[in-house]
Amino acid sequence: MATGFRILQRSRAVAPELVERFRALPVANVSDVMARMTAGGARLRPMHAPGAALAGPALTVKTRPGDNLMIHKAIALAQPGDVIIVDAGGDLTNALIGELMLAQMVRRRLGGIVLNGAIRDSAAIRAQDFPVFAAGVTHRGPYKDGPGEINVPIAIDGMVIAPGDLVLGDEDGLLCVPFDAAEAILAAAGEKQAAEQRQVARIEAGTHDASWVDATLRRLGCEGLD
């Protein structure tokens, strides 16, 4: 087995209807019901036009920093709606994708791409709404020599992503929802969003109760309360 330079088959993926239900939820609400313990790192930011959310099953890539050979292969393998998510070590020396690869992903109707690495042709990427998340920008192009792996578990800033897990992203950042927990997390995140909407309504009506703040300060022994 050529560990480090291999292509595996994905055995499962979150269902399209589940993806669409998650797409309507803020990533922050999903994060809250996952105990705020999972995140793709603050460096991974949306590089595309504002407003387009990322949601789809993960097609994972692990590549040598600065090399995009296996990303090209992942684009060819990906199914419509898939999110290619790449662990490239966070190195920003060389860009891993640009305008030409973007055009291929749009043509294949993929769900987006996440790069723990850099992009180039950033103006072209910002001009369209295909979801692209990356850690930085550089004009220096990539190498195409490998090695790398496709459809293996990867990790970005402590967030573990297995092939077929659900990848979410919006202006607040990236999140991975494990395949086996997706249904339960969806239900909890929906309840969280509904509770926040009720709270906003109370704030607008002037009936919001913030007495918990003083109660917490007293419990913690804060001095100087009225």
Side-chain angles (χ1 to χ4, degrees):
M1 181 172 61
T3 300
F5 203 9
R6 58 183 176 167
I7 298 169
L8 304 180
Q9 299 299 313
R10 189 174 64 185
S11 62
R12 62 185 189 180
V14 290
E17 56 271 21
L18 198 63
V19 171
E20 291 309 309
R21 291 170 66 190
F22 267 101
R23 193 186 300 277
L25 297 172
V27 170
N29 284 352
V30 182
S31 177
D32 282 350
V33 302
M34 294 177 67
R36 302 167 183 155
M37 290 291 291
T38 302
R43 288 205 312 161
L44 294 179
R45 304 306 306 156
M47 300 291 180
H48 52 281
L54 175 79
L59 193 160
T60 61
V61 179
K62 186 174 180 65
T63 186
R64 177 172 68 96
D67 192 290
N68 75 354
L69 176 62
M70 295 303 258
I71 302 174
H72 278 279
K73 184 59 179 177
I75 292 172
L77 292 173
Q79 300 299 309
D82 280 352
V83 173
I84 296 174
I85 181 162
V86 183
D87 173 13
D91 182 80
L92 304 181
T93 306
N94 299 85
L96 297 174
I97 71 159
E99 185 175 11
L100 297 180
M101 293 176 75
L102 175 72
Q104 295 177 52
M105 291 184 282
V106 171
R107 177 68 178 82
R108 292 183 61 81
R109 296 183 291 115
L110 304 190
I113 187 166
V114 177
L115 301 158
N116 191 15
I119 64 165
R120 68 176 181 178
D121 303 328
S122 58
I125 289 173
R126 282 197 304 270
Q128 51 71 55
D129 60 4
F130 181 86
V132 176
F133 285 74
V137 178
T138 180
H139 56 79
R140 296 177 61 176
Y143 302 102
K144 303 182 190 304
D145 304 306
E149 298 180 296
I150 294 176
N151 283 326
V152 297
I154 62 172
I156 298 176
D157 200 30
M159 181 178 73
V160 177
I161 309 102
D165 284 350
L166 176 64
V167 181
L168 302 175
D170 62 17
E171 295 291 338
D172 287 337
L174 268 296
L175 181 64
C176 176
V177 177
F179 177 91
D180 291 330
E183 290 279 4
I185 290 172
L186 176 65
E191 293 174 2
K192 171 70 174 176
Q193 185 184 31
E196 288 194 356
Q197 290 170 341
R198 292 192 295 270
Q199 185 172 351
V200 168
R202 290 192 295 270
I203 292 170
E204 292 175 346
T207 59
H208 175 60
D209 180 8
S211 60
W212 68 270
V213 177
D214 282 355
T216 301
L217 291 170
R218 289 190 181 90
R219 177 174 58 81
L220 296 173
C222 179
E223 297 182 3
L225 290 176
D226 293 334

